[in-house]
Amino acid sequence: MQKLKYNVGKSFVYVSMIVLLGCTDTETNYFCENYEVIERPESTKKLTAEQILSGDSLLDVGRIFCIDDKLLDVNAKNKNAVFTVYDTHGMCVGSFGKTGRARNEFTGGAVVTQQFENGTLWINDVNKATLTKVNLKASLDSSTCVVDKEMVTAGRVVNAFYVNDSTILYEQETMDNYRIYVYNTLQGKAIEQYDLYTPCRDAFGVYYSYMLLHPNKDKLVAVMSTLNQVNFLTVKDGKRKAVSLYEESVLEKDYGKQKQYYCDVTATADRIYALYMNQSKEESFDKPKPMEIHVFDWDGNFKERLLVSEYIFNIAVNEQGKYLYGLNLDNNVYKYKL
């Protein structure tokens, strides 16, 4: 494997979290000082798909997540049930949840943010500005959404994660940036906050990422949409690393020429699976092509590249790391043995 390492050196702006060099003055964007380019990944494996759900089984395109031994479809467009639960063979075992703004209802901004809480779901609802803990077993047993806890976040919170009963961590989109808050719910205030990048006129268009928090609550991974880059952060000490596959990450300022690089991420306690689209914005989520999944550990070390023939846009992995699941735009769900 051939690697190129870049040291930004004294031009790097040190903050407690991540800083990205200016998107207005330069076309090359480094996520941090410790930046690595892997030009030719050698470890590659082709995965074979088993279709376990067809488009007829799902009402509309949602997103899938693995919760313990269950496969969860989250879809606020489904008026009958926001959450539909399947076993890992594709058999429906129940559904619950309604669309709305009440305590046990969810909007189109509802996303599962954590998958490591042993039978519970943490749902970040962007539109309601809440982080909600749902009891999966009780909800399935009653066919009604059972909420154990609700924690208030803020407007435009893209990602939110439970840390403990008095602390949440969330990423908020600002006018020109994305900012991480460590928020004390008992005190009702942020105890720490960090701008993730240097200011940019189009933060959403440049900096948007798909983010996960490790179960130990101390490591974040963000796979970037418009930049060919995967970013790793240790929350407590600010240690950070960025990795790009194939070539150096460069921002294309002409929107018509920009690409959709990563389109989803899922993880176990020791592996991260980043879904790599590498397609023009015009063709992305529209023109079918084979897809890649880039596998890393939580320290930012690239492990292998997985290849699939199916044009999937959403992935999930079970906690044991034995199976990967993929959803395509025709509402077909595929199962891959890892």
Side-chain angles (χ1 to χ4, degrees), residues 18 20 29-32 35 171 177-178 196-197 203-211 221-232 241-244 249 251 259-265 274-278 281 296:
I18 305 166
L20 184 68
N29 289 264
Y30 298 100
F31 189 74
C32 61
Y35 176 56
E171 180 198 31
N177 216 322
Y178 281 89
L196 293 184
Y197 315 109
F204 178 83
V206 176
Y207 296 142
Y208 182 80
S209 68
Y210 303 86
M211 185 178 287
V221 62
V223 302
M224 304 197 79
S225 174
T226 305
L227 293 175
N228 178 33
Q229 198 162 296
V230 180
N231 305 316
F232 303 87
K241 180 179 181 179
V243 181
S244 297
S249 178
L251 171 64
K259 286 186 175 184
Q260 173 78 35
Y261 283 101
Y262 290 94
C263 61
D264 201 16
V265 64
L275 184 58
Y276 187 70
M277 184 169 275
N278 188 26
K281 290 287 182 72
F296 303 86

Side-chain angles (χ1 to χ4, degrees), residues 153-166:
T153 58
R156 304 177 73 86
V157 168
V158 183
N159 292 290
F161 307 98
Y162 170 84
V163 177
N164 55 50
D165 284 346
S166 64

Side-chain angles (χ1 to χ4, degrees), residues 302-319:
F302 174 75
K303 307 307 289 187
E304 64 179 337
R305 180 180 61 161
L306 306 176
L307 307 179
V308 299
S309 300
E310 294 70 32
Y311 189 51
I312 53 178
F313 76 97
N314 168 214
I315 55 175
V317 64
N318 70 338
E319 291 183 17

Side-chain angles (χ1 to χ4, degrees), residues 268-280:
T268 64
D270 62 353
R271 287 290 182 270
I272 295 160
Y273 300 83
L275 184 58
Y276 187 70
M277 184 169 275
N278 188 26
Q279 203 168 18
S280 71

Side-chain angles (χ1 to χ4, degrees), residues 47-143:
L47 301 182
T48 301
E50 172 193 353
Q51 185 173 327
I52 61 171
L53 281 172
S54 69
D56 295 336
S57 302
L58 300 175
L59 181 65
D60 202 349
V61 174
R63 297 192 75 84
I64 55 172
F65 303 88
C66 279
I67 308 296
D68 297 332
D69 60 345
K70 303 291 191 299
L71 191 63
L72 179 73
D73 173 42
V74 180
N75 183 4
K77 294 180 181 179
N78 188 341
K79 300 300 182 182
N80 296 318
V82 174
F83 305 100
T84 305
V85 184
Y86 301 87
D87 66 20
T88 53
H89 300 290
M91 297 296 294
C92 182
V93 297
S95 60
F96 60 90
K98 299 293 184 181
T99 302
R101 291 182 174 271
R103 175 180 168 84
N104 63 343
E105 296 177 342
F106 299 90
T107 74
V111 178
V112 176
T113 62
Q114 283 165 267
Q115 304 158 19
F116 308 106
E117 298 297 328
N118 297 322
T120 60
L121 307 177
W122 281 100
I123 311 293
N124 176 44
D125 196 321
V126 178
N127 298 325
K128 288 175 58 180
T130 55
L131 183 62
T132 303
K133 181 181 181 182
V134 175
N135 187 312
L136 179 58
K137 184 179 185 306
S139 298
L140 279 175
D141 289 345
S142 64
S143 297

